[in-house]
Amino acid sequence: MQRTAHIRCGSDIRESLKTAGVAGDFFEWSDPLSRGPVPEGLDRAALRRMRADWMASHWGDDPAQILEKLEAQDAALDRLDSYDRVILWFEHDLYDQATLMGLLDLIGYRSNLYLLSIDRHPNHEQFIGFGQLQPGELAQLVGSETKMTQTQVDIAREGYALYRAADPAALKAFAERPDTGKALPFLPGALMRHLAELPSESNALSLTERLTLQALDDGAETPGECFRDLVRKLDPQPFLGDLMYWEDVMRLAKADAPAFAPLPENWRSPVALTAFGKALLNREARWTDRNRLDRWWGGKRLTGV
């Protein structure tokens, strides 16, 4: 009997696969590389420590516990050669594609690797991710995975190196190369979405920040409603979980010159655009006119005034 492992960048489908009777062991490898520091020049151990400290300071929890989880996830990958099939469950968005690049950079090519990656599902008008699928829907996908090639792993590793180098022009050129999309069809779109998180020329905001202000201008009244509107209709490729998005909310609200007010206490707190927020939205002001910029974009820390 074949031994199968399932790797996912989270635990969202673990129980559903079990409920559906899908055979195999589940591995979670959930270092969310779409946010936070991934500078080049650090080995995996040093990067784990840096990321654990960053996640703890931005999203809460104990850095030692986060580091312990990251170390355990990496150590578990040493068992992959004992399986006949290792199925990688990674959908189309930036969260998954960035994590996929990091995972493949770490484990390299193996003859037992299979990729299951989709950007739509016939039963869902808006496909966001595997986590929204019912157990039976997930089970029906098993068998559609494709065997991975050395070329795919090479492309992932090249992309991850460029992601960490954080040169926008080089990353854009890589995303636009025909061989990138041929090897990993959803990687170009995910990288273009990553590029959209750079400060814009018009107002020095990321796309996520601009769309948040747009949601408020369109009628959203709370951070929760902004998040809903981004996911459902505004973001061309939503990729943030609620914890990750809350960081953006607080950055916009806690600044010296906030884009909206008052400072929200939770997802249901009423907020509204400030005069500065309206000026940002109308491209009549830049974030750095009155606030400092300090956030990570891939391997580069963006700073300045």
Side-chain angles (χ1 to χ4, degrees):
M1 182 176 180
Q2 282 196 334
R3 297 191 68 219
T4 300
H6 304 277
I7 302 183
R8 172 76 176 138
C9 53
S11 59
D12 53 348
I13 66 172
R14 182 198 301 266
E15 292 304 315
S16 292
L17 291 177
K18 187 183 301 183
T19 299
V22 175
D25 297 331
F26 189 89
F27 290 72
E28 178 181 351
W29 200 80
S30 56
D31 185 354
L33 298 169
S34 57
R35 280 295 169 96
V38 283
E40 57 185 348
L42 297 181
D43 63 17
R44 179 60 189 167
L47 184 61
R48 280 195 304 258
R49 292 191 294 271
M50 183 178 193
R51 290 192 55 76
D53 288 342
W54 183 89
M55 284 187 271
S57 65
H58 285 72
W59 301 337
D61 213 342
D62 176 28
Q65 292 181 351
I66 297 174
L67 180 58
E68 182 179 3
K69 179 180 179 180
L70 293 176
E71 290 174 340
Q73 289 179 169
D74 286 1
L77 299 177
D78 292 337
R79 310 202 317 262
L80 295 184
D81 286 338
S82 67
Y83 291 90
D84 300 295
R85 296 168 64 84
V86 177
I87 302 176
L88 311 181
W89 294 73
F90 289 82
E91 64 239 15
H92 63 293
D93 63 36
L94 173 58
Y95 184 103
D96 283 48
Q97 293 294 304
T99 309
L100 178 62
M101 287 192 297
L103 174 64
L104 291 174
D105 182 72
L106 186 60
I107 65 176
Y109 173 74
R110 298 160 190 246
S111 61
N112 59 354
L113 290 182
Y114 292 78
L115 180 62
L116 210 169
S117 188
I118 62 175
D119 67 342
R120 64 197 65 198
H121 191 280
N123 297 345
H124 298 267
E125 183 176 353
Q126 183 186 18
F127 175 75
I128 297 173
F130 288 121
Q132 78 187 106
L133 302 186
Q134 296 298 311
E137 294 171 331
L138 290 170
Q140 289 173 355
L141 292 174
V142 177
S144 64
E145 65 274 5
T146 58
K147 189 175 179 62
M148 295 205 72
T149 66
Q150 178 71 61
T151 298
Q152 287 177 299
V153 175
D154 291 344
I155 287 290
R157 283 180 152 171
E158 182 181 0
Y160 188 55
L162 291 168
Y163 188 82
R164 296 182 70 176
D167 179 336
L171 195 62
K172 184 174 185 292
F174 172 78
E176 293 175 341
R177 269 174 27 196
D179 61 328
T180 300
K182 183 178 180 181
L184 296 169
F186 303 130
L187 185 56
L191 292 177
M192 296 305 290
R193 182 63 186 84
H194 177 59
L195 286 161
E197 289 298 282
L198 283 166
S200 73
E201 291 292 332
S202 60
N203 56 16
L205 296 177
S206 69
L207 178 59
T208 298
E209 293 167 333
R210 298 196 302 274
L211 293 180
T212 298
L213 303 190
Q214 183 65 57
L216 288 170
D217 192 57
D218 289 346
E221 297 180 344
T222 67
E225 291 177 2
C226 290
F227 185 56
R228 175 202 64 194
D229 290 350
L230 260 69
V231 171
R232 292 183 180 179
K233 59 184 180 181
L234 294 178
D235 196 325
Q237 193 194 89
F239 69 95
L240 293 173
D242 55 1
L243 183 63
M244 303 167 79
Y245 178 66
W246 185 255
E247 180 195 353
D248 290 57
V249 168
M250 297 308 289
R251 183 168 58 245
L252 290 169
K254 289 182 72 174
D256 292 338
F260 54 82
L263 183 68
E265 296 181 357
N266 55 54
W267 290 103
R268 297 183 179 87
S269 298
V271 296
L273 288 173
T274 61
F276 182 56
K278 292 179 181 178
L280 290 168
L281 185 61
N282 294 330
R283 302 181 182 184
E284 297 168 350
R286 291 174 56 81
W287 180 256
T288 50
D289 291 342
R290 300 176 63 185
N291 298 303
R292 289 192 61 82
L293 177 68
D294 188 1
R295 61 182 175 87
W296 283 89
W297 180 79
K300 184 177 182 179
R301 186 172 184 176
L302 305 175
T303 59
V305 293

